[in-house]
Amino acid sequence: MMSPSERLAALGVTLPDVPAAAGAYVPAVRHGDLVITTGQLPFVDGELPLTGLVGVDVTVAQATALTRQAALNAVAAAAAILGGVDRIARVLSVTGHIACGPGFTGHPTVLDGASTFLVDIFGDAGRHVRTNVGAARLPLDSPVEVGIVVTAVV
């Protein structure tokens, strides 16, 4: 079986630097063998690739790709606190916030970008429970935000 770091390499993906917190909080907290990340925006090289509302300014396909990036940023935050991505044993939970226009109901499809990517990285240990939440707006006008809860290798 491939390790998470080997799977990332096979996908051609490297863990990004963890973005600095934009307020009075930290990117991730460890408590025992649990790590909980803050909601991560889909930053790429310190910038949001797109802004606005899903279904208005951002397509479902674009938003789905953005949740993948936000999930990668959440994995980076968890890995940073644990000492590497291979120290993540399992993804337990994903919470996704989708900034969307009135009447939008495609939240599950959008968040599948994150969920599928986590399974790509962690295999069956990436399967998780999740919560989808629609929002009027998100920080910095981001279309999506993703937070995760993982367990550490003991």
Side-chain angles (χ1 to χ4, degrees):
M1 289 204 329
M2 292 174 52
S3 69
S5 59
E6 291 169 332
R7 288 176 189 223
L8 282 169
L11 293 168
V13 175
T14 57
L15 285 180
D17 292 333
V18 179
Y25 62 92
V26 294
V29 171
R30 181 176 185 170
H31 181 76
D33 69 341
L34 292 179
V35 174
I36 304 162
T37 72
T38 193
Q40 294 290 320
L41 302 182
F43 287 117
V44 176
D45 298 325
E47 301 289 329
L48 286 175
L50 296 167
T51 58
L53 300 176
V54 179
V56 176
D57 310 301
V58 177
T59 69
V60 169
Q62 290 170 321
T64 301
L66 292 173
T67 62
R68 181 182 187 277
Q69 182 63 44
L72 177 63
N73 293 345
V75 168
I81 209 166
L82 289 173
V85 69
D86 292 333
R87 302 287 305 151
I88 297 173
R90 176 155 183 74
V91 179
L92 299 175
S93 178
V94 172
T95 300
H97 294 89
I98 314 300
C100 53
F104 183 79
T105 60
H107 306 80
T109 300
V110 171
L111 199 52
D112 275 348
S115 294
T116 301
F117 187 53
L118 292 168
V119 173
D120 289 345
I121 298 169
F122 298 103
D124 284 340
R127 298 194 186 283
H128 52 271
V129 299
R130 74 179 192 191
T131 302
N132 301 327
V133 179
R137 291 284 177 187
L138 291 172
L140 305 176
D141 203 22
S142 177
V144 302
E145 179 179 70
V146 174
I148 62 175
V149 178
V150 301
T151 58
V153 172
V154 287

